[in-house]
Amino acid sequence: MLSGLSCLLFRLENAFYELAQAYYHHESRVVKAHRDHLNKTTHALLFVRHQFKVAFYNELKQDSHTALKHYRQAYLHLHELRITDYNLLEIKTNSCIVNFKICKLCFEHNTPLDAISQFRRHVDIYKSKIGTADLAFEHSAWMSKQFAVFGDLFEEAIRAGLTAIQTQHPGFYYQEAARYAIARKQLCRGLCPAELKYPASDPLAEADKMEYYGQRPWRQGHQSLEAPSVQKEREGIQALQYRECQVDHSWLVIPLLSSAIAQFKKYKSPRMKRYLVVQMGEEYYHAKDYSKALALLGRVTWEYRSERWWSILTNILQLSLRCAYLVMSFEEYVTVSIELMGRYAQVPREEKIRIQMNLHKIFQDEVPEPEHGCEHDSVEKGRALWTTISAGGKSRSPIVVEMNSITAFVECKACFTADSFLCESPVTVKLGLHSFAPMPIRFSQLSVRFSNEAYNQFGIVVDENAVDDPIESTSYLKPGQTLWHTFQFIVEQDDVDCNLSIAGVDLVLGSLEGCCATLRWTDGGGDAIVHPFATQVHRKKVALNADFSVVSWDVLPSNYSTHISPREANLDVQLLQKGPALVNEFYLMTVSITNTEVAQISNVRTSISVVTAVADAVATAQPNTFLYEDIDLPCSQLISMPLLEELKPNQKVDNVAYVRCVDSGARLMCIQVSYQIPIDISGKMSMCNCMKEITSSIEVCEPFNITVSLTNMKFEKIEKVQLGEAFLSRMEVKCLSPWPVALQGSSLNLAKLVKFADEESLSQLTDVSLKQNDCAVEFRCLLSSGQTPSEIDIGSYSIEWRRVQNGAAVPFASTTVSLPTVEAEPIPLSLHVDMPAYGHMKAVLPLTYLLHNQ
């Protein structure tokens, strides 16, 4: 049922569509028939009207290509009309409507280049046709509207699928629209006097009831080249100027700039975006929305500062200072004032002095003087806000100014005087403050913050001198001079062999009990924005221990980090051994420690680890090496010896440890000995941690070379064995150890398919001692089992041994080798011969042959 209803609705739609097409086709033919009776001499205006009507009917008929052709023809007829100051507005109004239709259809036909070309031609034709000079602001408004409408068409086409590029997108047209809107505002201020009054005759009373677009209400329907009444013309111009004065132009400019910023941000044009943001901030300022203006300007100052556009930055800061004053933004006012007093701000000295005086008044809880260029009513409101706060008797909350992000009037450089300090010597930090302010200024407190907050107490300078005595003050900054401070402190033992860095510097302006601002630098300060590579460049030129007072401020070194080196240990540490070590044995090592210090040491801790040095000097642990503090204790990669509470001068102590290696090769032993010793640091006795580290190499070799072979019962070498028949396994043990080795015995661990031929098979190497290059051989009689030919694994051979010199103090070590894999084959018939061990001459020798069918 639904499908039948859909078919009926579709047929009804087609019927209405055909009727509508026939109607609009008939109407266009009527217009064309009427046009044929016209001539261009007397009916020039009707030619434009008829072409537009035909185009509009074709557009309703959904024949957009034919409509575009007639719109273009109507636009050409408009250019053939004679233009005067009295009909210019009507022609421009109609031309903008026709241009809108042409551009819109070009975008719909996916020919954006034609639309752009048409718009540029349209602008080129009319941009110089201003008309009446007293109404020049109308032309700027008309031009602004043209660019804004085309930008909307362009953006709508992009949303429909058109692809724009960075050099051609709607943002440029919105920007031009905003530019003409700003020009409109400027023309309005120049052409429209403030005391202008609206005419009593009200010439704009019929403005909303006009029959044709673009005509003036006081001369409606008049087509002559001259004004019908000079008095009415003058009153009409006066009324239009009065109405223009009532327009808040800033709120016309701001939306256009916002649209342009969005487009330039979308197409990744950051500099154009920043430029438009500044313009928008200025418009918010003119619109008296000072808070938004201040927020917008604050978003772009960092970029202009980092790119060193000092003139642009100065203008932005001056406007920000006005906004901060008018909205009584204490933090922003202080921050901007600090930067405008700096050396990169391009303002006169007198202006810097005025800013500094205002800053001084703020810290004294007084009302600052108004900024230049502000409107009178806004200044009164701003002064009232400042007065309310000052008269309330409450100090403003302290603020923190991040100095690394601005170019301030005071610069700070703090550095360590050396790349490293011994823990037994004081750490020295030099800090310089250089003022570029036009007048002297004093601070209340200076503090240096370190990575370890425990040292912050040693880096504080508080102004304790009278204000009237700046000569002896340690917190009085003079213009162009550098004030130096030196800080020294002793590091804690926990920071030995660690890096210590300057975390930041705080400089407090104003009273600590009242209104104040903390100027905060991260690291050691410096002009990081302007000279980002100053540290690397100038550090090679100026030594850290040089006299900084005779060095130019800009080339001073920056060293924000230092290393706290441990005190050199005076110990004699040796690793006593009798190498080489043998694989799998418990190798005895002795660590000998002799105190060569002049004083008694305490808390002596010894640790041993096994490392191997690699190409990049990184030490890694050996997984096949095990250390033992005692044979009965578990193994580890790192062992610690028992704590020695004290060790007198020249006293010697030995510690014993064992190492067991499961393969051959060199081992690098690392021995660390740490202790504490009392030392005198700046007249104060303190316990200092010291450490001695040595490395010693140990060679590890195999104790034996074991060779295994198989023979038959006649001691002849064989490659195969027969299932069910006995064979011999020959083990030859050659001693490679340079030390005598005692064998406890040997054992065979046989596989599943191999067994001993005798019920009891004893070791033939029990209690045997071997010297270097000695050989010992033993045989074992074996028997293979199975029914099918295959390769069988015989098993493994193990020897229990230890050095003769170690005695019973060290347990036996074990060396195991695998026996060879041999091919076993079955024999269907076996033969055994039984004969006496010897016979007699000329006597019968009895022999017995036994044949066995397998």
Side-chain angles (χ1 to χ4, degrees), residues 8-23:
L8 291 176
L9 292 174
F10 181 73
R11 290 172 60 188
L12 183 61
E13 181 184 358
N14 287 338
F16 281 126
Y17 177 74
E18 292 173 359
L19 289 173
Q21 273 195 329
Y23 172 76

Side-chain angles (χ1 to χ4, degrees), residues 798-851:
S798 300
I799 301 177
E800 303 294 327
W801 59 274
R802 65 184 172 194
R803 294 193 191 195
V804 173
Q805 63 186 12
N806 289 342
V810 178
F812 287 96
S814 177
T815 300
T816 303
V817 296
S818 298
L819 298 178
T821 300
V822 66
E823 183 178 351
E825 57 182 6
I827 297 178
L829 186 65
S830 62
L831 175 63
H832 295 276
V833 179
D834 187 10
M835 58 183 298
Y838 59 92
H840 299 279
M841 291 289 293
K842 298 180 181 182
V844 176
L845 180 65
L847 295 176
T848 303
Y849 293 91
L850 178 61
L851 295 175

Side-chain angles (χ1 to χ4, degrees), residues 5 73 124 248 305 356 372 411 415 420 440 490 495 550 617 721 745:
L5 182 60
Q73 190 63 38
D124 290 340
D248 193 346
R305 189 182 297 113
Q356 185 171 351
H372 299 314
E411 293 182 6
C415 67
S420 63
I490 304 300
D495 290 329
V550 297
V721 298

Side-chain angles (χ1 to χ4, degrees), residues 25 84 96 508 595 663 734:
H25 180 70
T84 64
C96 76
V508 180
N595 181 12
D663 58 3
K734 182 179 181 180

Side-chain angles (χ1 to χ4, degrees), residues 1 23 63 136 191 231 236 267 303 325 336-337 406 421 425 491 493 501 533 537 593 608 624 635 656 707 786 825 838:
M1 181 177 179
Y23 172 76
D63 187 0
L191 296 174
Q231 179 64 25
Y267 293 99
E303 285 82 1
Y325 174 83
V336 176
S337 299
I406 65 174
F421 293 90
S425 61
V491 297
Q493 291 302 312
S501 60
F533 304 108
V537 174
I593 303 174
I608 305 176
N624 52 2
C635 63
V656 176
T707 305
E825 57 182 6
Y838 59 92

